[in-house]
């Protein structure tokens, strides 16, 4: 193992090699013995000319130097070893990692270089500080994805912030898309979103919003992409790690960095469905307390929310409040009823049993 560690450190620049030794020296050997060797070179090399993943995002040609060039197997803060890629976006990439200190899986959300994004630190950190200080006995506290911690990394262009979260299964959007594919293909082994399930989802969202209101936080970006589900069985994460060790995910090398294809976390075998839904991604959150907004890094009150979910008062430049989040939830429900409940042949919208759904909330 020590030979492998020296080999891996030799591949890194001095600044990145330091990420292995940011803890006291007496703890380093204990953590390094838990490292896995992800150097298996038996992976498919993709055509560098064909855009994949974050390369397909608008403006990537100007943004690419500000993405941190993560490598699978890399260790951050001498604690988190990257296992595989889970997703990407305009402001960050997400990665499954092993927490060597607590022997558990976590998700790392690695932001683009902070100066490029235009703020000292991600506003999401300030939002989570307010959420963590809220009432511990409120039932909505458990309906929000936790922040386990955060740290910074020095990349080729500057400092990157990294948030540490518990792993979650896919989003509500992923579930609906999979369900839609199953309806079209006749697949019957994937759980459908029923009125009862939707009632559970809405109840969780309302609990989360009530708790956020107690903490003076307005989410402002509620959509099916930002409602994710707990993982009931960590064996699905072990499967991803095993797959990456034995048959690594395809990737391409360009600009001296790797771009990996993302893993989709599968549902546990024989599962009736995902776990409880949680409200996630407070990167666009606003704070309603002027005092807190002056002390912490919060975003301003300019136009926000995705176009399709934007509340009327925001569109008209009027005063807004917590109600804009409720508008988002309503938009989600309408779009679900009109777009995802269709017959596989006629593609005709079906009337969803809303009365039954709301009776169960």
């Amino acid at each position: 193992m020590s030979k492998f560690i020296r080999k891996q450190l030799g591949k890194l620049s001095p600044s990145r090699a330091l990420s292995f030794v940011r803890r006291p020296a007496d703890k380093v050997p204990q953590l390094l013995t838990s490292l896995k060797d992800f150097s298996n070179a038996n992976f498919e090399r993709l055509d560098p000319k064909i855009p994949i993943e974050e390369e397909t995002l608008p403006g990537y040609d100007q943004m690419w130097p500000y993405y941190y060039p993560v490598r699978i197997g890399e260790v951050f803060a001498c604690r988190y070893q990257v296992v595989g890629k889970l997703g990407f976006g305009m402001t960050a990439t997400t990665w499954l990692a092993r927490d060597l200190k607590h022997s558990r899986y976590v998700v790392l959300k690695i932001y683009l270089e902070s100066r490029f994004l235009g703020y000292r630190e991600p506003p999401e950190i300030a939002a989570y500080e307010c959420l963590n200080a809220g009432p511990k006995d409120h039932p909505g506290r458990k309906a929000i994805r936790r922040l386990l911690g955060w740290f910074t990394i020095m990349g080729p262009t500057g400092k990157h912030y990294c948030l540490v979260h518990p792993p979650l299964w896919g989003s509500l959007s992923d579930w609906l898309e999979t369900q839609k594919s199953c309806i079209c293909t006749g697949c019957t082994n994937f759980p459908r979103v029923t009125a009862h399930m939707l009632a559970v989802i809405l109840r969780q969202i309302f609990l989360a919003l009530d708790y956020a209101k107690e903490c003076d936080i307005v989410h402002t970006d509620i959509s099916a992409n930002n409602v994710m589900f707990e993982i009931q069985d960590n064996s699905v994460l072990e499967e991803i790690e095993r797959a990456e060790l034995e048959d690594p995910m395809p990737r391409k090398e360009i600009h001296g960095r790797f771009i990996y294809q993302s893993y989709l976390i599968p549902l546990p075998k024989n599962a009736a469905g995902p776990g409880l839904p949680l409200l996630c991604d407070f990167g666009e959150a606003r704070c309603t307390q002027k005092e807190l907004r002056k002390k912490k890094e919060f975003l301003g009150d300019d136009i926000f929310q995705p176009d399709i979910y934007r509340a009327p008062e925001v569109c008209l430049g009027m005063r807004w409040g917590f109600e804009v989040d409720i508008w988002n939830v309503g938009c989600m429900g309408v779009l679900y009823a009109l777009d995802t409940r269709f017959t596989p042949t006629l593609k005709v919208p079906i009337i969803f049993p809303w009365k039954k759904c709301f009776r169960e909330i």
Side-chain angles (χ1 to χ4, degrees), residues 109 111 121-134 141 144-147 150 163 165 208 211-220 279-288 292-293 295-299 325:
K109 181 178 182 179
Y111 277 90
E121 69 178 33
E124 192 166 12
I125 293 177
Y128 268 110
E129 286 178 352
C130 292
L131 292 169
N132 289 340
R141 186 181 178 98
I144 289 175
R145 188 182 200 177
R146 290 182 297 146
L147 177 68
W150 61 274
L163 275 57
H165 293 288
Y211 177 76
K213 184 177 180 180
E214 291 287 327
C215 302
D216 299 297
I217 294 295
V218 187
H219 188 284
T220 80
L279 185 59
C280 305
D281 196 347
F282 284 80
E284 293 292 326
R286 267 66 170 179
C287 179
T288 59
L292 283 176
R293 292 167 66 177
K295 295 179 182 178
K296 300 180 183 293
E297 290 282 322
F298 277 103
L299 297 173
D325 282 344

Side-chain angles (χ1 to χ4, degrees), residues 200-210 222 227 329 332:
V200 172
I201 293 169
L202 290 174
R203 183 176 186 276
Q204 285 286 103
I205 294 175
F206 290 140
L207 283 173
L209 292 181
D210 190 59
I222 298 174
V227 177
V329 178
M332 280 176 52

Side-chain angles (χ1 to χ4, degrees), residues 15 57 71 130 150 153 256 261 269 274 287 295 357 360:
S15 62
L57 296 173
R71 295 204 176 208
C130 292
W150 61 274
I153 324 164
Q261 286 189 337
K269 295 179 181 177
C287 179
K295 295 179 182 178
C357 172
E360 297 190 29

Side-chain angles (χ1 to χ4, degrees), residues 14-15 19 29 32 79 87 89 100 104 120 131 147 163 175 197 248 253 271 273 277 287 293 295 324 326 352:
S15 62
S19 67
L32 291 183
R79 175 174 174 177
L100 305 177
R104 62 183 177 180
R120 184 174 57 84
L131 292 169
L147 177 68
L163 275 57
W175 192 2
M197 290 180 178
E253 187 171 6
C287 179
R293 292 167 66 177
K295 295 179 182 178
V324 298
I326 303 301
F352 191 78

Side-chain angles (χ1 to χ4, degrees), residues 75-345:
V75 177
F76 296 118
C78 199
R79 175 174 174 177
Y80 304 106
Q81 184 178 27
V82 178
V83 171
K85 186 178 180 182
L86 295 179
F88 62 91
M90 295 290 291
T91 59
T93 53
T94 54
W95 305 79
L96 179 65
R98 301 168 61 243
D99 183 345
L100 305 177
K101 181 178 179 181
H102 293 298
S103 300
R104 62 183 177 180
Y105 291 102
V106 296
V107 168
L108 304 180
K109 181 178 182 179
I110 303 179
Y111 277 90
L112 274 68
E113 195 269 322
S114 55
R115 290 180 301 175
F116 173 76
L117 293 177
Y119 41 64
R120 184 174 57 84
E121 69 178 33
E124 192 166 12
I125 293 177
Y128 268 110
E129 286 178 352
C130 292
L131 292 169
N132 289 340
K136 291 182 172 53
D137 58 344
H138 193 293
R141 186 181 178 98
K142 295 182 179 179
I144 289 175
R145 188 182 200 177
R146 290 182 297 146
L147 177 68
L148 301 176
W150 61 274
F151 57 91
T152 59
I153 324 164
M154 287 305 297
T157 60
K159 184 165 62 175
H160 300 255
Y161 282 84
C162 180
L163 275 57
V164 185
H165 293 288
L168 297 176
W169 188 72
S171 66
L172 176 57
S173 178
D174 295 331
W175 192 2
L176 296 175
E177 285 301 317
T178 305
Q179 173 183 282
K180 189 185 297 185
S181 300
C182 288
I183 293 174
C184 293
T185 60
C187 172
T188 59
N189 61 355
F190 190 82
R192 304 284 179 87
V193 179
T194 64
H196 171 72
M197 290 180 178
L198 186 60
V200 172
I201 293 169
L202 290 174
R203 183 176 186 276
Q204 285 286 103
I205 294 175
F206 290 140
L207 283 173
L209 292 181
D210 190 59
Y211 177 76
K213 184 177 180 180
E214 291 287 327
C215 302
D216 299 297
I217 294 295
V218 187
H219 188 284
T220 80
D221 192 24
I222 298 174
S223 69
N225 292 322
N226 291 333
V227 177
M228 302 184 72
F229 297 88
E230 291 180 323
I231 293 177
Q232 299 173 312
D233 184 355
N234 277 342
S235 65
V236 295
L237 304 177
E238 295 170 0
E239 289 179 16
I240 291 178
E241 180 179 325
R242 186 162 50 250
E244 186 59 36
L245 288 168
E246 298 173 0
D247 185 19
M249 184 64 85
R251 65 204 65 176
K252 62 187 289 188
E253 187 171 6
I254 186 170
H255 303 308
R257 61 179 67 202
F258 283 110
I259 299 180
Y260 301 86
Q261 286 189 337
S262 299
Y263 280 96
L264 293 176
I265 299 178
L267 275 179
K269 295 179 181 177
N270 302 320
L276 284 175
L278 303 179
L279 185 59
C280 305
D281 196 347
F282 284 80
E284 293 292 326
R286 267 66 170 179
C287 179
T288 59
Q289 279 196 32
K290 292 183 178 180
E291 294 76 12
L292 283 176
R293 292 167 66 177
K294 291 178 181 178
K295 295 179 182 178
K296 300 180 183 293
E297 290 282 322
F298 277 103
L299 297 173
D301 294 341
D302 51 348
I303 293 294
F304 55 90
Q305 297 183 305
D307 291 347
I308 195 170
Y309 293 125
R310 190 168 294 158
E313 56 264 46
V314 178
C315 294
L316 297 173
M318 302 168 61
R319 292 186 63 181
W320 56 269
F322 299 102
E323 297 81 7
V324 298
D325 282 344
I326 303 301
W327 175 273
N328 280 181
V329 178
C331 289
M332 280 176 52
V334 170
L335 291 176
Y336 171 76
L338 296 180
D339 184 51
T340 66
R341 296 288 296 183
F342 57 83
T343 60
T345 52

